[in-house]
Amino acid sequence: MLDPSLDFQIEQLGSCHFTSPMRGVQFADENERLLYHSSPEDLRPYIAAGLEPPSMERAGPRQQIFFDRHQLSCGIVSCGGLCPGINNVIRAVVMSLYHHYGVRRILGFRYGFKGLVKRHDVPPVILSPDAVNHISELGGTILASSRGPQDAVEMVDYLQELGVGILFTIGGDGTLKGAATIAAEVKRRGLPLSVIAIPKTIDNDICFVNKTFGFETAVAAAQNAINAAHSEATGAFNGIGLVKLMGRDSGFIAAQATLVNGQVNFCLTPEEPFNPHELMQKLEERLTRRGHAVIVVAEGAGQELMTVTGKRDSSGNLQLGDIGEWLRDTIKSHFTEIKTEITLKYIDPSYIIRSQPANAHDSAFCLLLGHNAVHAGMSGRTNMVLGSWNNQFTHIPIALATRQRKRIDPKGWFWSSVLASTGQQGDIAEL
């Protein structure tokens, strides 16, 4: 089926008249592209219509660059909640700007977009290789963060006053949309200022991006909680271990963590509504036959079962009901009513997980994201986000990446694998 909305065209500030100072590297050709579709079935309609299939621009260093590196100043800002790997990305951007391109003035804006508004009186810090040398060993972000939008006019005023030519924004869906408003104001003024977004969301929910940094670390760190829940469950009569993991709209962490070691018997995500009565019945059956159970639930699951206020947080997200506490209380009440003894342990490791330093896999991923973000900015690209697709780094228009949240397909192979692992929709006695 043809999808005319798949426009991967990347905005550029203008022609590139400067030669890159990089040597001994493989430069990306301006015409290099990566197919969006990988299935022949998806490609056939485009071929039959005589159209070029949708493709993404491949990331990488360019031989010709837009900015005069000797006159360039750059800025970096991190927004939203914490996530493993933010410091790694900051370090990679600074090191690439400094050593690959010779940029000497790099500003770190503190406390998210608030630091981009001059009247908040949060002056930026100077970032150098010495300043960022060991920050990848730390969790969190050395620039600190904040949530919520700021006025694009004020932010661009300050960026213009400081002479910033490239702004690197590190954040999730809300940050990407904020970056787009900055890029729009920059374009309205006709300024030579590039806005490059680096996707940061522990939930892995950015569209047209296979994986966001921090996700692998979060899944690995979640195993400590799941292992603890399993130990508690097997160490008590009718033991139940309940673990709540992050995932507002998308349950990728919960689902992937479920597949790691096969100890989870029920995985609940926002994409697949569950019936509490049926869940209690299956939990009864599980305890009768095996004597213990482990449940993993994403924070956004089961919201339709709880009373919500409709209030929004500073990022504009609906405030969620606490599905972990709701499930804990519901399970306890149910087994009290049927006069069955249970021992339930509830574990919420969310803030421990998101403040972890990045593991080795994420660290390498962050370095490559940072480097490719710098290459994109130096070549004059703007209003775009760095992506990863089929093990390649790509350029994605922010508007396309933020048009909806990436979610688990309940009819897809990934979720089918989760169900096969837990057995929660089949015979749970043997799992």
Side-chain angles (χ1 to χ4, degrees):
M1 180 176 173
L2 298 175
D3 187 350
S5 70
L6 293 177
D7 182 3
F8 291 100
Q9 187 67 33
I10 301 298
E11 292 182 32
Q12 290 192 257
L13 296 175
S15 300
C16 295
H17 297 297
F18 298 95
T19 300
S20 171
M22 295 188 71
R23 296 291 180 268
V25 297
Q26 180 176 340
F27 289 104
D29 188 282
E30 287 296 329
N31 297 316
E32 276 192 83
R33 309 214 36 113
L34 190 70
L35 283 175
Y36 168 65
H37 296 294
S38 57
S39 166
E41 291 298 321
D42 293 327
L43 291 171
R44 286 191 183 104
Y46 292 93
I47 297 171
L51 299 174
E52 184 174 330
S55 62
M56 305 173 180
E57 191 174 75
R58 191 187 295 273
R62 265 59 179 175
Q63 282 188 307
Q64 296 299 117
I65 57 179
F66 176 82
F67 288 100
D68 179 355
R69 61 195 179 94
H70 300 294
Q71 305 297 322
L72 181 64
S73 295
C74 296
I76 306 173
V77 63
S78 58
C79 309
L82 297 183
C83 173
I86 303 176
N87 281 333
N88 302 67
V89 172
I90 293 171
R91 184 183 186 279
V93 170
V94 171
M95 291 297 194
S96 182
L97 285 170
Y98 196 94
H99 293 296
H100 291 158
Y101 293 98
V103 176
R104 293 296 182 262
R105 187 167 182 262
I106 308 167
L107 304 177
F109 292 97
R110 297 181 294 157
Y111 302 108
F113 284 142
K114 182 177 289 187
L116 289 177
V117 177
K118 186 176 182 179
R119 61 182 169 82
H120 289 315
D121 195 25
V122 185
V125 296
I126 300 297
L127 297 177
S128 66
D130 285 342
V132 303
N133 194 30
H134 297 290
I135 65 173
S136 57
E137 301 166 12
L138 308 172
T141 165
I142 61 163
L143 297 178
S145 188
S146 70
R147 294 185 183 274
Q150 301 290 336
D151 182 67
V153 172
E154 289 186 274
M155 289 192 285
V156 175
D157 283 345
Y158 197 31
L159 290 169
Q160 191 172 5
E161 178 183 325
L162 293 170
V164 172
I166 308 176
L167 175 67
F168 299 94
T169 66
I170 306 169
D173 183 77
T175 305
L176 298 186
K177 291 175 180 176
T181 65
I182 294 173
E185 178 61 19
V186 166
K187 186 175 183 179
R188 187 186 70 79
R189 300 187 192 189
L191 300 176
L193 198 164
S194 168
V195 181
I196 305 295
I198 302 170
K200 170 208 68 71
T201 164
I202 204 168
D203 294 346
N204 195 32
D205 60 357
I206 301 295
C207 278
F208 306 103
V209 175
N210 279 149
K211 183 182 65 175
T212 51
F213 75 82
F215 175 71
E216 294 280 356
T217 303
V219 170
Q223 294 313 300
N224 290 330
I226 294 174
N227 289 338
H230 183 258
S231 295
E232 291 285 355
T234 55
F237 177 75
N238 279 347
I240 300 173
L242 172 61
V243 179
K244 184 180 78 171
L245 298 176
M246 301 184 80
R248 288 186 56 89
D249 301 294
S250 308
F252 288 105
I253 293 179
Q256 186 75 8
T258 293
L259 293 175
V260 171
N261 59 23
Q263 292 178 338
V264 179
N265 310 113
F266 300 91
C267 178
L268 309 175
T269 67
E271 293 90 343
E272 189 77 327
F274 65 92
N275 182 303
H277 178 69
E278 292 180 1
L279 177 62
M280 295 306 119
Q281 285 186 321
K282 290 188 175 184
L283 190 51
E284 285 182 43
E285 181 183 351
R286 169 74 193 182
L287 294 180
T288 298
R289 298 188 182 184
R290 300 300 299 273
H292 69 278
V294 175
I295 305 169
V296 167
V297 59
E299 63 180 320
Q303 293 301 302
E304 69 281 358
L305 304 172
M306 294 173 286
T307 302
V308 294
T309 64
K311 295 180 180 179
R312 295 183 179 270
D313 62 21
S314 55
S315 296
N317 299 313
L318 280 173
Q319 292 183 357
L320 299 179
D322 194 321
I323 184 61
E325 292 185 358
W326 186 90
L327 265 179
R328 178 197 63 194
D329 296 342
T330 299
I331 292 169
K332 286 183 176 180
S333 295
H334 173 78
F335 283 97
T336 297
E337 289 176 7
I338 64 173
K339 296 181 172 56
T340 299
E341 177 188 351
I342 64 167
T343 300
L344 188 149
K345 301 298 183 183
Y346 172 49
I347 302 171
D348 180 359
S350 300
Y351 290 104
I352 295 174
I353 289 174
R354 75 176 200 165
S355 60
Q356 293 278 313
N359 64 15
H361 189 283
D362 263 328
S363 293
F365 187 58
C366 288
L367 181 137
L368 295 175
L369 275 174
H371 285 188
N372 281 296
V374 171
H375 299 325
M378 291 300 298
S379 67
R381 284 159 173 80
T382 188
N383 199 18
M384 56 149 279
V385 58
L386 253 294
S388 59
W389 198 252
N390 290 338
N391 295 315
Q392 302 287 336
F393 288 95
T394 58
H395 300 158
I396 310 295
I398 292 179
L400 203 57
T402 58
R403 72 178 188 180
Q404 63 188 40
R405 295 288 180 93
K406 182 176 73 175
R407 308 185 80 208
I408 296 173
D409 179 3
K411 299 184 183 301
W413 282 107
F414 178 57
W415 184 243
S416 177
S417 299
V418 173
L419 297 181
S421 174
T422 63
Q424 65 196 62
Q425 289 190 350
D427 182 4
I428 62 174
E430 301 305 319
L431 296 172

